[in-house]
Amino acid sequence: MLSLDESYKLFEDKKHQADLGGGAEKIAKIHKSGRLTARERILGLLDPNTFVETDKLVMHRCHDFGMNKNKIPGDGMVTGYGKIDGRLIFVFAQDFTVFGGTMSRANADKVVKIMDMAMQMGAPLIGLNDSGGARIQEGVESLAGYADIFYRNVRASGVIPQISAILGPCAGGAVYSPAMTDFIFMVKDSSYMFVTGPEVIKTVTHEEVTMDELGGAMTHNSKSGVAHFAAEDDEQVLLMVRELMSFLPANNMEDPPTKPCTDDVMRQDEKLQSLIPADPNKPYDMKEIITTVVDNHNFFEVQPHYAQNIIIGFARLSGKPVGIVANQPAFLAGVLDINSSVKAARFVRFCDCFNIPLITFVDVPGFLPGTNQEFGGIIKHGAKLLYAYSEATVPKITVITRKAYGGAYDVMSSKHIGGDVNYAYPIAEIAVMGPEGAVNIIHKGKLTEEERAEAVDSYRKTFASPYKAAELGYIDEIIYPKETRTKLIQALDLTQHKSKTNPPKKHGNIPL
Ligand code: HXC
């Protein structure tokens, strides 16, 4: 029988061994690569002294490849719960120092346990990923562990926010769970995501590609659109995750958390009166309108490097979180194409899942023409955005700042697909297409140059304005740009108790 002192010592030793993970040498290697350890990450993420670790002493049960002689308490996965800004959060962090943070049956069970708890308690789940994927020595048991997690990711989707930070090389199964979560953060120069790595690619397709080109932070933030945020280092990611959480409710039954508003709700911004050029072909930066209008000019942009012709992100108006979607005339004239449609559609659906009102700023010349777009399926991808807006039952408030042409007018939160309050600036142009294109089609080959110019002018006066739409009640109110903040806050106030539901169904069939 152990004495009291001996049993306490044994407990201390086991905890210490778990805390050390793969050992001092491997921790030094992690630090040398510019990364933090799993435990350091959790401490950086959560409020001080709130982390409660679960299953700290769990070990793998593999006997093959001599694994029975190589066991580390915790088995390369740190799991538990704690608080961010005083609100409950569940978290797991893969410890790369233990078998490369790989997924075993035992540590998958740890993740499954906290996922089930997160669902039952109605609290968000944050995964800090740094893993070589399925633990090869465990074979199908590891795959089973992953599938148990994937299954829960899907069940939790739209019920609790799920956030992934990719903080090291993540391969195979280690990228599919993040892919099913709501937002993915990456770190420049130290985090990677790929299904198969450069070596396998070289063997199979003979392509030569570096880890960074294949799956680095900027590849996924600017090319593939897989990731939503890129940070300089682990510390910055953790701060960004905390900031993101400040906009989100704990679950789909709650409203997003309001903060006391320290900005003037009646603020009028004279600079907006002249921000949009009278010449419809001249660009301007839509972000200036957004940052001018929102509380304390604080706009938390999502996917700033991807499909920059559309802007998405979170902000507050009168202290209430809102999701903002806006065409960006400063990039590709703000046109809707495949990437921007998919980017915005997913964001609209996220906001709708979690009761976050949508504010849409519209300046869109239409859908991008071209064989690339048509062959790439712009019809089904553009339809995603139309579907997402039509399906969303959260408050939807729209401001047409300048152009709203063609199908893109319908798509961008128009009255017809459930816009609750639809504003337009006096300079807005709402029509099937721009004056030049319209005259070319209606009067094809019938007019002299002079007559053509007159027809363009007449079309512009009659159709390229907000007044036709306002006459028909499709626009509720034409507003001065300087009033935008006040009007949006009024509209949010109006819609705060909005109650609208879609017809009962198993689920819709969004074009994928
Ligand atoms: C077991 C693994 C492992 C794995 C890495 N390790 N990946 N152990 N299973 N999948 C171990 C290494 O043996 C090493 O152990 C330690 O982790 C660190 O790995 P290194 O290679 O030394 O580190 P680094 O050079 O930084 O490279 C990291 C890496 C590379 C890029 C992740 O290890 C790698 O390519 N691993 C294989 C990735 C992969 O193909 N995974 C897919 C699995 S299949 P020691 O003891 O030396 O420290 C999969 C299918 C799931 O996931 C499907 C779901 C849909």
Side-chain angles (χ1 to χ4, degrees):
M1 192 171 60
L2 295 180
S3 71
L4 274 180
D5 280 350
E6 283 166 337
S7 67
Y8 293 155
K9 171 84 173 49
L10 178 65
F11 177 43
E12 271 312 310
D13 287 349
K14 282 188 184 288
K15 281 203 303 181
H16 181 64
Q17 212 190 338
D19 285 338
L20 262 186
E25 207 176 295
K26 288 199 167 142
I27 290 174
K29 211 168 151 190
I30 291 285
H31 286 156
K32 202 165 164 222
S33 72
R35 285 134 84 199
L36 297 174
T37 64
R39 284 199 165 72
E40 286 165 348
R41 285 167 178 161
I42 289 178
L43 293 181
L45 176 71
L46 299 178
D47 296 347
N49 304 317
T50 61
F51 181 53
V52 179
E53 189 170 349
T54 52
D55 293 333
K56 188 169 181 147
L57 303 181
V58 159
M59 287 196 266
H60 72 72
R61 302 179 287 269
C62 177
H63 293 277
D64 300 316
F65 304 100
M67 289 289 279
N68 48 330
K69 295 192 204 98
N70 195 0
K71 292 191 174 195
I72 293 173
D75 198 31
M77 185 77 77
V78 186
T79 54
Y81 50 92
K83 296 204 167 160
I84 290 184
D85 290 335
R87 299 159 71 215
L88 179 65
I89 301 284
F90 286 82
V91 62
F92 68 84
Q94 290 154 347
D95 180 354
F96 195 82
T97 68
V98 180
F99 306 118
T102 50
M103 188 67 73
S104 68
R105 176 70 258 181
N107 69 28
D109 289 342
K110 291 175 61 166
V111 177
V112 162
K113 190 193 264 187
I114 60 152
M115 290 180 91
D116 290 344
M117 283 171 83
M119 282 287 275
Q120 280 164 26
M121 311 309 161
L125 176 76
I126 299 173
L128 306 177
N129 299 273
D130 192 349
S131 163
R135 189 173 294 168
I136 295 164
Q137 297 90 328
E138 295 212 10
V140 70
E141 285 206 69
S142 166
L143 300 182
Y146 262 131
D148 287 344
I149 292 169
F150 300 154
Y151 181 70
R152 281 164 178 77
N153 282 135
V154 175
R155 292 184 67 82
S157 180
V159 180
I160 51 169
Q162 299 180 88
I163 313 297
S164 300
I166 308 294
L167 301 169
C170 286
V175 298
Y176 271 110
S177 172
M180 282 187 293
T181 62
D182 297 306
F183 294 105
I184 297 182
F185 292 75
M186 293 187 75
V187 182
K188 292 179 195 162
D189 302 324
S190 64
S191 79
Y192 310 92
M193 294 178 83
F194 39 76
V195 175
T196 51
E199 287 307 315
V200 177
I201 290 181
K202 196 171 166 189
T203 316
V204 178
T205 69
H206 309 293
E207 287 170 287
E208 297 216 14
V209 64
T210 64
M211 285 249 285
D212 203 45
E213 287 162 354
L214 179 65
M218 290 322 290
T219 295
H220 287 308
N221 271 274
S222 64
K223 277 193 188 157
S224 72
V226 165
H228 302 86
F229 302 97
E232 298 301 324
D233 52 31
D234 285 14
E235 283 92 346
Q236 195 187 6
V237 162
L238 302 173
L239 289 176
M240 288 169 79
V241 173
R242 285 179 63 91
E243 187 169 1
L244 173 63
M245 297 315 295
S246 76
F247 293 101
L248 312 185
N251 59 62
N252 64 337
M253 304 302 283
E254 283 186 7
D255 285 333
T258 55
K259 280 195 173 177
C261 180
T262 54
D263 200 348
D264 180 4
V265 291
M266 300 302 286
R267 176 159 55 78
Q268 300 231 338
D269 301 282
E270 283 298 330
K271 81 168 194 185
L272 293 183
Q273 293 289 93
S274 53
L275 185 86
I276 303 172
D279 178 350
N281 297 321
K282 280 211 173 128
Y284 62 95
D285 187 357
M286 184 67 93
K287 274 187 217 169
E288 273 204 51
I289 298 188
I290 299 170
T291 52
T292 302
V293 160
V294 299
D295 289 359
N296 307 107
H297 312 291
N298 185 17
F299 177 51
F300 188 71
E301 191 173 356
V302 176
Q303 286 192 307
H305 308 287
Y306 183 73
Q308 291 170 353
N309 36 334
I310 209 151
I311 303 165
I312 55 173
F314 298 102
R316 284 187 186 79
L317 279 166
S318 187
K320 294 177 189 145
V322 291
I324 292 178
V325 180
N327 307 115
Q328 171 56 294
F331 196 92
L332 291 175
V335 75
L336 278 181
D337 58 4
I338 293 172
N339 292 350
S340 60
S341 300
V342 175
K343 169 180 168 180
R346 185 152 161 84
F347 183 72
V348 166
R349 295 192 102 209
F350 175 83
C351 291
D352 191 45
C353 286
F354 292 106
N355 313 317
I356 300 171
L358 282 161
I359 310 284
T360 304
F361 292 97
V362 184
D363 189 344
V364 60
F367 280 98
L368 180 63
T371 50
N372 265 348
Q373 291 290 310
E374 296 290 348
F375 296 168
I378 181 64
I379 297 173
K380 74 174 172 190
H381 296 298
K384 286 177 181 162
L385 186 53
L386 185 52
Y387 191 111
Y389 266 124
S390 302
E391 178 188 46
T393 55
V394 286
K396 292 185 282 193
I397 300 154
T398 309
V399 184
I400 300 178
T401 62
R402 195 167 59 177
K403 294 174 205 163
Y405 281 124
Y409 156 73
D410 282 346
V411 171
M412 295 301 296
S413 198
S414 64
K415 190 56 116 190
H416 326 286
I417 60 169
D420 294 297
V421 182
N422 292 66
Y423 298 121
Y425 289 168
I427 204 174
E429 303 170 16
I430 307 169
V432 175
M433 62 176 71
E436 302 277 343
V439 167
N440 284 349
I441 291 174
I442 304 171
H443 303 292
K444 190 175 176 184
K446 294 182 207 148
L447 302 180
T448 64
E449 249 332 284
E450 205 174 305
E451 287 166 334
R452 207 185 139 273
E454 268 174 37
V456 167
D457 196 44
S458 152
Y459 181 98
R460 178 164 287 127
K461 284 190 187 122
T462 320
F463 294 108
S465 83
Y467 298 109
K468 270 272 174 230
E471 278 170 30
L472 295 164
Y474 300 160
I475 293 296
D476 298 297
E477 200 179 340
I478 297 176
I479 61 169
Y480 289 112
K482 66 179 179 184
E483 310 174 282
T484 309
R485 174 172 165 80
T486 325
K487 289 288 174 185
L488 289 176
I489 290 172
Q490 266 176 9
L492 274 178
D493 201 40
L494 166 78
T495 54
Q496 69 173 324
H497 300 302
K498 178 184 175 186
S499 163
K500 189 174 181 189
T501 49
N502 286 322
K505 53 180 137 178
K506 190 170 174 191
H507 56 71
N509 189 15
I510 189 166
L512 294 174

